Amino acid sequence: MNIQKYVPLAPLTTLGVGGSARFFVEVKTEKDIEEAVSYARAHGLAIYPIGAGSNILVPDEGVDGLVMKIAMHDIELHDAADETFLIAGAGARWEDVVNLAVEHGLYGIENLAGIPGTVGGAAVQNIGAYGAEFGSVFEYADVFNILTGVFERIAHTQASFAYRTSFFKEHRELVVVRVTLRLVKNAAPNISYSDLKRAQLEGIPLATPMQIAEAVRSIRAQKFPKNAEGGTAGSFFKNPIITHELADDIAKLFPDVPMFPQKEGMIKIPLAWLLDHVLALKGFSNGNVRLYEKHPLIIIARSGSRAIEVDTLAHEVAQRVFATTTICIEREVETFSGR
Ligand code: EPU
């Protein structure tokens, strides 16, 4: 185990901003995790697990603790009768997992193609896109409990997946080590999401998991910035889920607002729509950072940006949304607490 000091974190995140980790370690095995956690305990350090750094904002002052890069990359398939279990280390790239699944004609995660990040991040965040969610294929996860120093298994029933959250997000003492997904050999393609319906009308083939994954990647390519434009962390905010009453009030003011009914009478509103059609904030900027012109839920940080510029822009956007709609928006991207 090689504990390093003052490691710059910006290159380890997709936003590409922020300071250094006071301590940093890459963990490749269960034993490495145990040793890293013992080290952190012995030195009184907070632990910050990271995967591909695709959903974090590192503060400019850096992180006073031990940043633990999860680097278990193994992926295996275990065949059963009608289903196949895919077992992946938390540090495996999500795209590698999707590719392996669709190459074997397995259904379940093809709509989640093209999402940056790792398997561990996918579980914590319950990633979702194009009508699919990670939680729906999750079987169980093996985790390491930092507080007790013991490995545990968290089953689907315990995992509490909801929109961009999970038991793992609520219980930061659990480090996801390995995840088992249940994929199926036969299923009806899930092409209910509007962008996929449109692709179908255009005659794009959507009959196999591989074809769906390719279609999703090409839709994403039109919406998500290429690297050259700067760093991003995908959607910076969550779509707000609001009461029926508030949604009705908003619809009186903005009759075209799209609404997606959720559980218990709640309504999900696409924030990108509000930012675009109500607040006209596409391209809205603060110094080096801006809301992407093609999709204003995404913040783009040009090379050399500071975390404070991202933070200030995000605050300003949240204030404007509140002033116009009384909706309190939440960030999807997590900020590592500073020194
Ligand atoms: N819209 C606009 N203007 C725009 C962009 C979008 O009016 O400039 C409207 C669209 O017409 C659509 C609505 O906003 O009615 C929603 O847009 P989109 O389908 O692109 O999805 P989203 O709600 O903005 C979510 C996820 C994405 C995921 C897409 C596709 C969240 C926070 N984001 O975005 O996930 O890829 O759906 O399923 O739920 C991520 O989490 O990082 C992420 C990229």
Side-chain angles (χ1 to χ4, degrees):
M1 194 185 50
N2 175 21
I3 306 248
Q4 300 168 61
K5 281 192 178 176
Y6 296 105
V7 172
L9 292 173
L12 300 178
T13 70
T14 58
L15 256 171
V17 306
S20 301
R22 199 170 136 219
F23 294 92
F24 178 87
V25 65
E26 199 168 302
V27 290
K28 295 189 173 126
T29 62
E30 274 83 342
K31 188 162 166 284
D32 283 351
I33 295 184
E34 284 183 295
E35 284 178 14
V37 170
S38 304
Y39 181 91
R41 275 208 187 153
H43 294 82
L45 303 171
I47 297 174
Y48 299 88
I50 61 165
S54 54
N55 204 48
I56 50 176
L57 173 61
V58 174
D60 294 316
E61 61 272 29
V63 177
D64 185 16
L66 175 63
V67 172
M68 187 163 77
K69 183 161 169 72
I70 307 295
M72 289 79 71
H73 300 135
D74 51 286
I75 313 176
E76 281 174 29
L77 292 176
H78 289 263
D79 216 21
D82 298 331
E83 54 204 20
T84 298
F85 294 96
L86 187 154
I87 305 172
R93 268 174 25 120
W94 178 252
E95 264 296 75
D96 293 341
V97 168
V98 172
N99 281 333
L100 187 71
V102 303
E103 277 160 19
H104 285 78
L106 297 167
Y107 285 90
I109 52 177
E110 60 282 5
N111 294 40
L112 303 178
I115 298 182
T118 59
V119 167
V124 172
Q125 276 288 105
N126 186 22
I127 56 171
Y130 304 99
E133 248 182 22
F134 174 89
S136 62
V137 294
F138 175 90
E139 188 73 3
Y140 58 83
D142 295 308
V143 301
F144 183 73
N145 188 324
I146 292 173
L147 294 179
T148 61
V150 169
F151 288 94
E152 299 172 25
R153 181 161 282 187
I154 305 294
H156 188 276
T157 46
Q158 279 173 279
S160 310
F161 290 113
Y163 174 57
R164 292 299 190 280
T165 189
S166 69
F167 188 76
F168 313 110
K169 192 162 187 175
E170 302 298 319
H171 290 264
R172 299 324 290 251
E173 74 278 15
L174 303 179
V175 178
V176 180
V177 176
R178 194 158 280 99
V179 165
T180 298
L181 308 179
R182 179 198 290 263
L183 304 174
V184 292
K185 294 172 187 170
N186 293 299
N190 171 5
I191 49 174
S192 52
Y193 200 86
S194 56
D195 288 335
L196 283 169
K197 276 190 197 148
R198 206 170 304 130
Q200 190 184 34
L201 289 174
E202 287 167 12
I204 292 166
L206 297 169
T208 65
M210 177 83 88
Q211 288 173 342
I212 295 172
E214 272 168 23
V216 165
R217 286 199 186 102
S218 97
I219 293 166
R220 292 183 71 92
Q222 291 153 32
K223 290 190 183 183
F224 293 95
K226 306 255 176 333
N227 282 343
E229 301 186 54
T232 87
S235 300
F236 196 87
F237 301 99
K238 293 188 204 175
N239 285 319
I241 297 177
I242 59 177
T243 62
H244 212 283
E245 290 76 16
L246 180 53
D248 287 346
D249 290 346
I250 290 173
K252 276 179 206 139
L253 292 173
F254 312 109
D256 298 333
V257 63
M259 294 193 189
F260 300 97
Q262 308 291 299
K263 283 183 208 148
E264 291 152 14
M266 302 294 280
I267 306 284
K268 192 195 269 182
I269 306 263
L271 181 58
W273 192 92
L274 293 177
L275 298 177
D276 182 0
H277 301 278
V278 175
L279 291 151
L281 287 179
K282 281 180 160 183
F284 181 58
S285 67
N286 172 41
N288 287 311
V289 303
R290 67 185 202 280
L291 298 186
Y292 190 39
E293 292 75 10
K294 291 189 201 161
H295 203 300
L297 210 52
I298 297 171
I299 289 183
I300 306 199
R302 268 205 297 270
S303 156
S305 298
R306 289 167 56 78
I308 189 73
E309 293 175 293
V310 176
D311 202 52
T312 308
L313 180 78
H315 270 295
E316 181 64 29
V317 169
Q319 268 177 8
R320 291 193 187 202
V321 171
F322 183 76
T324 314
T325 63
T326 76
I327 296 175
C328 289
I329 57 170
E330 288 174 25
R331 294 182 184 188
E332 183 185 304
V333 170
E334 259 180 81
T335 301
F336 273 180
S337 53
R339 287 178 202 280

